[in-house]
Amino acid sequence: MSDKLFRLQCGYQNYDWGKIGSSSAVAQFAKNSDPSIEIDESKPYAELWMGTHPSVPSQAIGFNKTLRELITEEPKNLLGDAVIQKFGSSKELPFLFKVLSIEKVLSIQAHPDKKLGAQLHAQDPKNYPDDNHKPEMAIAVTDFEGFCGFKPVEQILETLQTVSQLRNIIGEEISEEFAKGIKCNATTGTEEDKTNRELIQKVFSKLMNTDDSTINEAAQSLVKASQEQPEIFAKLDARLPELIQRMNKQFPNDIGLFCGCLLLNHVNLNKGEAMFLQAKDPHAYICGDIIECMAASDNVVRAGFTPKFKDVKNLVEMLTYASEPVEKQKMTPKPFAKSHGDAKTSSLYDPPIEEFSVLQTVFDKTGGKQTFDAFDGPSIIIATNGSGTIQITGDDSTKQSVETGYVYFVAPNTAVELTASDLQKDGLTTYRAFVEV
């Protein structure tokens, strides 16, 4: 058995927002990887965790150890000196790789940057369990829906002018100040952009500091209006009346109906599309199956659609209040020079952070071989569709089978090749999270 390329058995989380039973990609992948797992058709299967996080550590098949334990024993071999020096740990990966299967909306949330993460952890370690930041990237495995970032200021203005329930909460004074003060199409970093952000913050702060009884009453009125006069909301976005009603069924009369449905971008990702969630930007996942990669942190500041702790003061103070259209939230895949061969596409999703990138490789049903030059850091690969084999390049003794849901660890400085079977309906799709300093 190679200690440079080996299979992982990954654990899962049964959070209540997950898809139920075998409808969940998480459940399907876990079961395919380990047939002894019995799927409970009454339970939600929300997240598959791939990595070294101590909460749900991945098991290294054949070693009788977790990946975290293996790395702790052989940090130079499995992380590499550059990664250890850069991220300061000789026992864990700087990223956590996940599959999420989402049936119900997750809480509207934002994550602190490194400086704020350290402050919050020092002040309140119960609610902020570490001192790190948590940038995230989501890639759609099935068609996906989410909230991501504030809408452009002109859309927020139109919403304030159209939806009386929101305007009543914000009040005439702030609504008028917003209308007169904003500048559409302001260039990032200019005084106009700074003013726009300050005005969005005023609106958001007023909303988030409104008492629960006022929100409850306004939310009932909002939902009723979306049912009785859907055309008013459809002028803003054809999807909005149905969205408000669907979110209300999941979280009745919640503040998220205002801060999510009315103020944030409603993003649809087609299979294979991706978005990056910057630190200090609000977002939420609504439904679908996604590959998610993030920095190894659990720090979350919540805003709505949650029964959990909401830290309104820190949330209002910390957000960037950037406001851009939906298309700006999506990531553009790039070619990747270390991947070459027969794959239909091998696309790099490279967010503007150091902890991770993700490589998506797709073969069509005719199969073929893709060779990956050695990466400078560790990586984890999951197959989300199809079958084939993987091996260290030039070493047939390391060849192992790849099936849907199988997960592999690849050590630094290890070239591998992936061969897709030509006996399948749709071809083979893999995602590979990695770090290179």
Side-chain angles (χ1 to χ4, degrees), residues 135-281:
E136 298 175 339
M137 181 170 65
I139 309 171
V141 174
T142 60
D143 289 348
F144 165 83
E145 235 182 306
F147 295 119
C148 185
F150 286 100
K151 293 175 179 177
V153 286
E154 64 271 18
Q155 292 182 24
I156 294 175
L157 174 60
E158 191 182 0
T159 303
L160 274 169
Q161 292 172 336
T162 304
V163 182
S164 61
Q165 292 83 1
L166 178 64
R167 192 178 181 94
N168 290 342
I169 290 171
I170 304 306
E172 287 302 317
E173 187 179 332
I174 294 175
S175 297
E176 282 304 307
E177 185 183 356
F178 187 88
K180 289 172 181 171
I182 59 165
K183 294 289 186 292
C184 301
N185 304 312
T187 303
T188 303
T190 61
E191 281 302 312
E192 290 182 340
D193 174 55
K194 185 181 172 192
T195 300
N196 283 352
R197 292 174 191 244
E198 289 170 351
L199 289 166
I200 296 171
Q201 184 176 28
K202 277 194 176 182
V203 169
F204 188 72
S205 177
K206 182 67 165 68
L207 171 64
M208 294 307 299
N209 285 290
T210 299
D211 66 89
D212 290 345
S213 62
T214 301
I215 293 293
N216 192 294
E217 193 176 316
Q220 291 180 51
S221 172
L222 179 74
V223 173
K224 188 177 179 187
S226 76
Q227 293 164 335
E228 294 177 354
Q229 298 174 291
E231 67 281 358
I232 293 174
F233 298 86
K235 282 192 296 185
L236 300 168
D237 185 329
R239 303 167 296 173
L240 189 53
E242 185 276 335
L243 179 68
I244 289 170
Q245 291 159 38
R246 177 158 41 110
M247 295 299 93
N248 188 62
K249 282 177 184 162
Q250 295 179 15
F251 285 91
N253 306 326
D254 192 89
I255 195 168
L257 298 174
F258 295 98
C259 67
C261 299
L262 297 183
L263 296 182
L264 302 185
N265 285 306
H266 182 197
V267 181
N268 285 98
L269 297 182
N270 297 319
K271 184 177 176 180
E273 289 189 311
M275 64 181 184
F276 177 63
L277 309 166
Q278 300 267 14
K280 299 184 171 183
D281 278 350

Side-chain angles (χ1 to χ4, degrees), residues 347-368:
S347 305
L348 179 68
Y349 293 95
D350 191 24
I353 44 110
E354 297 171 312
E355 282 85 352
F356 62 84
S357 300
V358 175
L359 181 66
Q360 177 206 55
T361 302
V362 180
F363 295 85
D364 63 23
K365 59 186 177 183
T366 60

Side-chain angles (χ1 to χ4, degrees), residues 15-19 46-47 49 96-111 134-149 243 246-247 250-251 256 260-261 264-269 273-278 281-295 300 304-306 329 331 356:
Y15 302 140
D16 65 2
W17 48 260
K19 289 189 177 180
E47 294 189 352
W49 287 31
L96 178 59
F97 202 27
K98 293 182 180 181
V99 178
L100 273 62
S101 290
I102 304 145
E103 184 74 30
K104 295 195 320 192
V105 65
L106 278 71
S107 58
I108 298 169
Q109 58 190 252
H111 305 296
K134 193 184 175 185
E136 298 175 339
M137 181 170 65
I139 309 171
V141 174
T142 60
D143 289 348
F144 165 83
E145 235 182 306
F147 295 119
C148 185
L243 179 68
R246 177 158 41 110
M247 295 299 93
Q250 295 179 15
F251 285 91
C261 299
L264 302 185
N265 285 306
H266 182 197
V267 181
N268 285 98
L269 297 182
E273 289 189 311
M275 64 181 184
F276 177 63
L277 309 166
Q278 300 267 14
D281 278 350
H283 59 273
Y285 301 148
I286 298 173
C287 65
D289 299 286
I290 59 169
I291 291 285
E292 184 184 59
C293 201
M294 64 185 68
V300 178
F305 294 141
T306 179
Q329 309 291 343
M331 294 189 71
F356 62 84

